[in-house]
Amino acid sequence: MRLHLGEFEEIVLLLVAVHHNDAYGLSIANSIKEKLNRKVTLSSVHTALYRLEEKGFVKSEIGGATKERGGRSKRLFKITSLGKQALEASRQSRNLLWDMIPRITFDGL
Amino acid sequence: MKNNPPRLAQRFFSWYCRNHLHDSILGDLEEQFYQNQLKHGTRRAKLLYWLGVFQFINRFTLKRDHYSTSYTFYSVSMIKNNIISSLRFLGRNKGFTAINLFGLTLGFSSFLLILFFVNHELSFEKFHKNKERIFRVNFSFQDNAGNVTTLVNSPPALAPGIREKFSELEKISRMRYAMNSLFSNGEIRFYEDHGYYADSLFLEILEFELSSGDPNTALDQPNSIVITEDMAIKYFNNSNPVGATLLFNNSVPLKVTGVLSPIPTNSHLNFNFLISFPTYSVPEGYASDLTSWGWLGFMTYVKLKPNADSKQFEKGLAQHFKDLNPEDLTPLLPRLQNLSDIYMGSDGMADDLASHIRAGNRFSVKALMIVALLILIVAGFNFSNLTHALSINRSKSTGVRKVLGANRKGILAQLLTESLILTFFCMVLSFGIVFLLFPSVSQYMKWEFDLRFMDILKLAPVLMIVGIFIGIISGLYPALTLARIDIIKSLKGTLKITSRNPLQLKNVLLLFQFAVSIGLICATIIMTKQIDYLRNKETGYNAENVVLIKMLPEDMSRYFEVYKERLIQNSAVLNVSRSDRVVGDPWPFGGIQRVDEDPEMSKRIFFNLADYNYFETMGIPLSSGRSFSKEHTNDSTQAIIINQQAATYLDLEDPIGKQVHFFELDGPRTIIGVVEDFNYSSLHQGIEPAVVILPFIDLEYMYVRMASGNPKAQIGILEDTWKQVAQSTPLEWRFLDDNLDRLYQSEERLSSMIQVFSVLAILLACLGLYGIVTFMVNNRVKELGIRKVLGASVHSLYTLFVKKYIYQALLAMVIILPVIHYLLNAWLKDFAYRIHINWWIYPVGTLLLIMMILITITFQILKAAQTNPTRLLRHE
């Protein structure tokens, strides 16, 4: 159970991994909108990130203040090894289930 | 339109989010804002920003970082530390602390005392079971002139007559006041006037507790009596004399069938004995008997069945009285009054028998509650001001605390803990004081009740809340001031807590205290004056040196003539007479009309039965005609004397010789004399038309006018002569003016309470002022020194400091004037005879306060002003 990921959490966690060194709330939110074409609010991404941090799947540090942020630093997230395990576990379980689908299921769909 | 993110939204976010996430979120939001601005324009970006700020309200952003408070001020060790440092500080300022505690204790004690009184006033009849179903039947009636009178009395036929008639009725009982009752057990003989004849059901309706005897049967048999424990001990020296016999009025033996536990003081009925009703017989000569539906000389209490509709019952009862005599256009109108409403709600209703029923006054309860609240507020303000004044002495220690990491909250917590502890200490102290002082206070204020533990327990939660409230509210102002101070200034010793702003809170508080003090002083002056006025008002008769003697009607008829004869021979006795009713007690009334008027047109008129020499004895001058005389043998049946009001009332220009119908024993009565108006009832009422006729029944009151002299000698003469006439029968006497004083007892009680509490309020205000002046002088020591060096005289320095407080007192007068004027007028409205409020009362009250102010502060200011300036300036 400790490694369980929700669907949205999984996406956010994957994107943390994707945005290596530049994973913070807004960049992830933008990616979800652009790459996955999903509507998402900034606050829900943040909330997901904090929840992931609570579970120990990501860790955060301060850095990267820019002018368009009003000089405020970003909270940059990095995936932890536990996070990686969680992603892998989730991927494995999916693969396992995909493999178990009998061919006949998709016939005629 | 500016192109930045909305400031308000940012501030809102910063307000609710106070942790490590704050910066990064706000950064993200701002970055997003600029992106949105490019895509959608500024307006939409701003909207989205607002939306974002709201969407971020969640458990992560609302959580505070635990390290943002460096220590928790509610931990045990911190509280201990706070208490220790508070105690040290208070110990270092013993004098000040003592004054402060004294003031607050005084305030609490007064509040408690008033609270006990008000609690007792409001607790009337609460001890009765089923009180919501118990009613007294009052009667209103109207005469042909339209005068409506309401009496608490009812006719004797009511209770037996309707017992079976109304389905709403569960129990009904009547009672008759046992006016003058002489009881004896062997040699022990006394007159008692606190008692009633009561129907057997009385104790089942109003369930007064019996300590022995059966309440259901005690009053069933004729010649039974139930007495209180006090009376049992008085006559039998035994608290349980059930079965013993008490001789009543020298002739009727009564069997004691029950002993009443002490009657609670919060009962409107106030009696020592109840005689079973069948013992009662209508005295000889009375025009009515017990089957009368019109003789309002009794009281009737009913208990309705559960869920019965009292309005319905009242209506049915009214119909019953209409049906009794369908031709009467203005029948008696019965009115039910609920038991709980009797004590406070009987204003303006007369008790025809003046049977010691207790009546309260809503106005005085309200007034006292306001006074209690004001005193509490004044005491709280005082505490506030004194603590504030002291806080200059602890600004350094507060500075050090702040340097060591205390934040505002910590300082606040420390100071509030301190003020709460002090408040509770004072509360406990004032409980002790109230306990100790209660007996003497209640005697001074003429309170009738005892302090009962249950009452205190009941009020305890209220007091707890009041204590906490006062502790916090009055601690808050000084605490906030200290918590705000500048660390550096406080450590350097250059901190000034004063400001010149006249609206500074402590000035406002002081102004309020002054206003309350002036208000109470003025109220005291006016109330004292009004009561003096009532006492000294020309009543139209002369009560001085008149002794009132009460006796049984039988004794009166047996001894009066002889006694009078012997008394008159003494040169100290000027005149002797007797009457049915005493002045001051309500007079009965009957119908009167001129002989030439339609018999239907009878008007209500008050009357008295009085013997020869009555007007001479009472000092009431005749304005025309003659008074009753033995030479005119018809006087006893055909003469009547009226007052001037009655002459106008009856529309008679030359009344002497005119005839009227009134209590006809032998045809119409002729008016033989007109007396000047005199006030036969209390001065709450004006003089109304009244008539006097010679008695046709035995009377109970005798008057002796004595030459002025030593009261002891006067009474000596009366008693010695009485012994020669009546041997062992006791003589019950009273000076008439003492008897009249009790009419104004409730006013006097209110006035003496207001008096005491106004002194307290002034004392409190002066204490507060003392604190403020001490504080101010300490604060301005250097200024004083410099002024002196530059040549200011002690006198000019004195005026400089005092001026402000005098202005404040004057301002307070202006503020309080309309309020107090209104309230005093409302109080005076109750009196038919009242003083006019002179405008100078207010300046005089203010002047008194100013004098107190000067006494309080002069010493301190002079001390500072006379000090050598080098000592004041040497400091640094």
Side-chain angles (χ1 to χ4, degrees):
Chain A
M1 268 322 276
R2 242 165 67 87
L3 293 181
H4 174 76
L5 278 173
E7 192 262 351
F8 188 64
E9 280 178 344
E10 189 176 351
I11 289 169
V12 172
L13 190 53
L14 282 168
L15 280 166
V16 170
V18 170
H19 289 263
H20 180 65
N21 274 347
D22 191 34
Y24 66 102
L26 186 62
S27 65
I28 292 169
N30 285 341
S31 299
I32 294 176
K33 270 183 233 168
E34 287 156 17
K35 306 243 162 64
L36 304 181
N37 215 5
R38 261 171 84 155
K39 272 195 175 174
V40 70
T41 64
L42 188 58
S43 66
S44 51
V45 174
H46 271 262
T47 316
L49 283 168
Y50 303 146
R51 210 175 288 132
L52 289 171
E53 192 174 14
E54 268 182 351
K55 290 179 179 175
F57 297 158
V58 297
K59 60 185 180 188
S60 67
E61 61 185 42
I62 305 296
T66 60
K67 198 178 162 234
E68 58 269 26
R69 300 174 57 81
R72 294 188 184 84
S73 46
K74 297 169 182 169
R75 181 164 294 270
L76 295 169
F77 290 87
K78 270 198 182 114
I79 188 158
T80 60
S81 68
L82 197 65
K84 188 175 160 241
Q85 279 176 37
L87 279 179
E88 277 167 355
S90 146
R91 185 179 187 166
Q92 269 172 17
S93 54
R94 252 159 239 227
N95 285 344
L96 184 74
L97 294 175
W98 271 104
D99 291 345
M100 282 163 65
I101 300 173
R103 201 145 281 177
I104 197 153
T105 314
F106 292 146
D107 275 1
L109 287 176
Chain B
M1 210 185 227
K2 275 186 282 173
N3 297 327
N4 300 327
R7 285 285 288 278
L8 198 62
Q10 276 184 356
R11 283 173 64 177
F12 174 61
F13 179 78
S14 302
W15 173 73
Y16 77 74
C17 175
R18 284 192 226 160
N19 60 20
H20 61 287
L21 299 175
H22 173 266
D23 273 17
S24 56
I25 293 178
L26 214 55
D28 276 12
L29 277 169
E30 192 158 338
E31 208 179 329
Q32 192 190 35
F33 171 79
Y34 290 119
Q35 290 172 3
N36 284 337
Q37 201 175 26
L38 286 178
K39 258 193 264 171
H40 309 292
T42 308
R43 184 184 287 269
R44 198 171 156 76
K46 282 193 173 180
L47 189 75
L48 289 170
Y49 190 94
W50 270 106
L51 222 66
V53 164
F54 280 108
Q55 281 164 346
F56 262 107
I57 302 175
N58 59 37
R59 73 180 168 99
F60 295 103
T61 53
L62 290 180
K63 201 167 108 189
R64 303 284 166 92
D65 282 343
H66 59 91
Y67 49 80
S68 69
T69 44
S70 51
Y71 67 91
T72 44
F73 48 81
Y74 36 78
S75 74
V76 176
S77 58
M78 208 55 223
I79 289 177
K80 214 167 112 187
N81 179 295
N82 283 344
I83 292 176
I84 289 173
S85 67
S86 290
L87 283 181
R88 279 185 193 148
F89 175 72
L90 296 174
R92 235 176 296 130
N93 297 283
K94 280 194 196 76
F96 231 95
T97 308
I99 291 179
N100 202 356
L101 294 187
F102 176 69
L104 199 56
T105 311
L106 208 64
F108 275 142
S109 308
S110 334
F111 179 72
L112 274 180
L113 280 172
I114 300 183
L115 207 61
F116 285 135
F117 176 75
V118 169
N119 180 49
H120 181 259
E121 288 293 289
L122 297 179
S123 72
F124 266 73
E125 323 301 341
K126 290 253 167 75
F127 62 93
H128 279 299
K129 275 177 250 163
N130 302 319
K131 52 186 171 297
E132 65 294 336
R133 293 198 273 136
I134 301 174
F135 297 84
R136 180 173 69 188
V137 188
N138 301 329
F139 279 89
S140 280
F141 60 92
Q142 205 179 5
D143 70 358
N144 292 313
N147 304 307
V148 177
T149 314
T150 304
L151 288 178
V152 304
N153 310 97
S154 39
L158 178 67
I162 65 166
R163 194 162 282 159
E164 311 294 328
K165 270 204 165 144
F166 290 92
S167 60
E168 292 95 343
L169 209 54
E170 183 178 309
K171 277 168 188 152
I172 184 163
S173 166
R174 70 196 145 157
M175 57 204 298
R176 164 85 183 167
Y177 177 46
M179 251 178 248
N180 276 344
S181 305
L182 177 65
F183 289 102
S184 52
N185 176 31
E187 286 303 296
I188 309 170
R189 317 174 84 186
F190 294 102
Y191 283 101
E192 301 285 344
D193 60 358
H194 284 62
Y196 294 94
Y197 298 95
D199 267 340
S200 60
L201 290 177
F202 178 75
L203 288 172
E204 293 170 48
I205 295 173
L206 296 168
E207 298 177 41
F208 289 101
E209 218 175 288
L210 289 188
S211 61
S212 53
D214 179 2
N216 296 328
T217 58
L219 293 171
D220 285 357
Q221 300 301 319
N223 301 340
S224 308
I225 185 170
V226 175
I227 58 179
T228 55
E229 277 170 16
D230 282 350
M231 200 166 145
I233 287 168
K234 188 170 166 188
Y235 287 89
F236 299 101
N237 199 17
N238 169 2
S239 63
N240 187 11
V242 170
T245 308
L246 206 52
L247 194 65
F248 177 52
N249 289 350
N250 289 332
S251 54
V252 187
L254 298 178
K255 195 174 142 199
V256 178
T257 52
V259 178
L260 288 156
S261 308
I263 306 292
T265 52
N266 51 356
S267 152
H268 74 284
L269 286 174
N270 178 11
F271 56 89
N272 290 326
F273 64 87
L274 295 171
I275 303 174
S276 62
F277 200 86
T279 321
Y280 176 69
S281 59
V282 180
E284 199 112 346
Y286 270 50
S288 311
D289 59 31
L290 289 180
T291 61
S292 163
W293 285 92
W295 176 22
L296 298 181
F298 297 76
M299 288 200 286
T300 305
Y301 290 84
V302 298
K303 187 196 245 174
L304 300 185
K305 284 188 181 138
N307 305 323
D309 182 0
S310 62
K311 284 270 161 285
Q312 203 59 41
F313 175 64
E314 196 177 32
K315 261 188 211 151
L317 215 51
Q319 190 57 46
H320 180 81
F321 273 85
K322 256 184 220 162
D323 296 343
L324 281 174
N325 184 2
E327 271 146 48
D328 190 353
L329 294 176
T330 52
L332 287 176
L333 190 63
R335 291 179 188 278
L336 291 190
Q337 187 178 28
N338 187 270
L339 185 61
S340 322
D341 193 38
I342 289 178
Y343 179 66
M344 288 288 189
S346 300
D347 254 6
M349 290 184 209
D351 170 16
D352 193 37
L353 305 160
S355 66
H356 303 282
I357 292 179
R358 292 193 185 97
N361 185 313
R362 284 206 176 94
F363 181 84
S364 70
V365 168
K366 268 187 214 152
L368 280 172
M369 265 152 81
I370 292 173
V371 170
L373 218 61
L374 286 179
I375 291 211
L376 198 62
I377 294 173
V378 166
F381 283 2
N382 230 357
F383 183 76
S384 236
N385 268 343
L386 286 169
T387 316
H388 185 252
L390 256 186
S391 56
I392 185 95
N393 290 346
R394 70 200 312 179
S395 62
K396 257 184 201 159
S397 73
T398 310
V400 171
R401 275 171 178 271
K402 281 199 159 180
V403 168
L404 292 177
N407 55 7
R408 262 181 54 141
K409 258 188 240 153
I411 306 266
L412 269 181
Q414 187 215 342
L415 294 174
L416 286 183
T417 320
E418 184 184 309
S419 87
L420 270 178
I421 289 174
L422 287 183
T423 317
F424 267 86
F425 176 72
C426 291
M427 199 94 177
V428 172
L429 208 63
S430 59
F431 260 109
I433 288 175
V434 166
F435 260 115
L436 281 177
L437 288 186
F438 190 82
S440 42
V441 170
S442 76
Q443 195 184 11
Y444 179 74
M445 313 248 194
K446 304 193 179 74
W447 289 351
E448 285 185 304
F449 61 97
D450 296 323
L451 209 50
R452 278 185 326 191
F453 189 68
M454 276 308 294
D455 294 334
I456 298 166
L457 222 57
K458 223 167 52 190
L459 289 176
V462 181
L463 296 173
M464 287 286 268
I465 292 166
V466 167
I468 292 174
F469 190 72
I470 291 285
I472 289 180
I473 292 291
S474 53
L476 208 58
Y477 168 51
L480 281 175
T481 320
L482 265 188
R484 252 203 311 257
I485 58 168
D486 186 321
I487 303 177
I488 297 179
K489 276 189 187 162
S490 75
L491 291 178
K492 240 171 99 188
T494 54
L495 184 78
K496 289 265 178 290
I497 297 187
T498 43
S499 89
R500 296 254 164 169
N501 180 4
L503 276 177
Q504 212 196 357
L505 191 55
K506 72 167 196 285
N507 287 332
V508 178
L509 300 190
L510 198 62
L511 193 66
F512 181 84
Q513 293 183 324
F514 284 175
V516 169
S517 308
I518 293 173
L520 286 172
I521 295 173
C522 293
T524 311
I525 296 176
I526 294 286
M527 291 176 118
T528 319
K529 279 189 68 158
Q530 169 69 13
I531 287 165
D532 275 358
Y533 173 79
L534 290 181
R535 282 239 183 97
N536 302 323
K537 169 92 180 53
E538 275 302 320
T539 46
Y541 56 86
N542 183 359
E544 238 175 294
N545 291 315
V546 174
V547 182
L548 170 70
I549 297 171
K550 252 166 85 171
M551 55 178 94
L552 296 179
E554 304 92 276
D555 288 344
M556 187 68 94
S557 62
R558 197 181 317 158
Y559 301 124
F560 176 73
E561 291 301 335
V562 194
Y563 190 37
K564 179 182 171 186
E565 206 81 348
R566 298 237 180 137
L567 279 177
I568 285 291
Q569 286 164 16
N570 195 313
S571 62
V573 175
L574 302 181
N575 241 322
V576 180
S577 185
R578 52 185 176 161
S579 78
D580 181 40
R581 292 298 168 96
V582 192
V583 283
D585 284 349
W587 281 17
F589 41 81
I592 191 168
Q593 84 235 41
R594 299 196 312 261
V595 279
D596 53 334
E597 271 178 322
D598 176 7
E600 289 290 302
M601 283 309 293
S602 116
K603 287 177 174 173
R604 179 191 77 177
I605 199 157
F606 292 94
F607 72 94
N608 199 356
L609 312 177
D611 207 356
Y612 303 104
N613 289 328
Y614 178 74
F615 299 108
E616 292 79 355
T617 310
M618 296 296 293
I620 302 166
L622 275 165
S623 65
S624 59
R626 59 172 180 88
S627 77
F628 299 121
S629 148
K630 284 193 176 156
E631 287 152 31
H632 297 75
T633 44
N634 285 344
D635 274 6
S636 59
T637 51
Q638 291 178 350
I640 188 165
I641 293 179
I642 66 175
N643 68 359
Q644 288 171 330
Q645 288 275 342
T648 329
Y649 187 58
L650 293 169
D651 213 5
L652 290 169
E653 262 189 29
D654 179 24
I656 304 295
K658 299 273 166 31
Q659 288 194 311
V660 292
H661 294 293
F662 184 80
F663 265 93
E664 296 190 10
L665 298 170
D666 187 15
R669 291 173 182 268
T670 310
I671 299 172
I672 58 162
V674 180
V675 290
E676 287 187 5
D677 286 335
F678 63 101
N679 206 299
Y680 48 85
S681 65
S682 83
L683 291 169
H684 291 98
Q685 286 113 42
I687 299 174
E688 293 201 45
V691 299
V692 176
I693 55 177
L694 276 173
F696 47 85
I697 53 168
D698 288 331
L699 303 178
E700 310 194 7
Y701 295 100
M702 170 173 169
Y703 306 85
V704 182
R705 170 165 293 283
M706 314 282 293
S708 49
N710 176 2
K712 248 197 181 145
Q714 293 177 334
I715 296 304
I717 294 167
L718 294 181
E719 284 193 323
D720 291 345
T721 320
W722 180 250
K723 270 201 194 106
Q724 297 165 20
V725 175
Q727 288 89 36
S728 66
T729 311
L731 185 73
E732 170 100 343
W733 55 267
R734 211 178 295 166
F735 280 97
L736 188 57
D737 37 10
D738 292 343
N739 196 47
L740 289 169
D741 276 349
R742 101 195 128 81
L743 293 176
Y744 312 112
Q745 214 174 32
S746 80
E747 280 79 22
E748 261 178 75
R749 187 191 288 164
L750 181 65
S751 150
S752 63
M753 282 195 256
I754 298 277
Q755 217 168 339
V756 168
F757 294 122
S758 65
V759 170
L760 289 181
I762 296 165
L763 200 62
L764 284 174
C766 287
L767 279 180
L769 187 65
Y770 177 81
I772 289 172
V773 171
T774 313
F775 166 72
M776 188 198 61
V777 170
N778 284 345
N779 232 347
R780 290 169 76 176
V781 156
K782 270 184 201 140
E783 184 193 325
L784 268 174
I786 292 169
R787 279 178 190 273
K788 280 200 84 171
V789 168
L790 292 178
S793 64
V794 172
H795 177 256
S796 70
L797 287 177
Y798 180 69
T799 26
L800 177 79
F801 279 101
V802 165
K803 215 166 50 186
K804 182 177 152 196
Y805 299 108
I806 294 182
Y807 287 154
Q808 245 177 348
L810 292 177
L811 183 60
M813 176 186 83
V814 173
I815 292 172
I816 200 67
L817 206 138
V819 180
I820 194 70
H821 193 74
Y822 172 77
L823 287 176
L824 284 174
N825 271 325
W827 181 71
L828 285 174
K829 248 197 285 183
D830 253 9
F831 299 89
Y833 298 92
R834 52 179 179 254
I835 53 169
H836 176 69
I837 301 182
N838 277 322
W839 63 269
W840 56 259
I841 294 286
Y842 303 111
V844 164
T846 314
L847 210 64
L848 272 172
L849 179 72
I850 290 177
M851 270 161 57
M852 292 302 295
I853 293 174
L854 292 184
I855 291 170
T856 315
I857 64 181
T858 296
F859 176 67
Q860 272 178 300
I861 293 176
L862 284 187
K863 196 174 74 180
Q866 280 169 344
T867 320
N868 188 337
T870 52
R871 277 187 49 202
L872 300 176
L873 291 172
R874 200 153 42 186
H875 271 306
E876 276 158 33

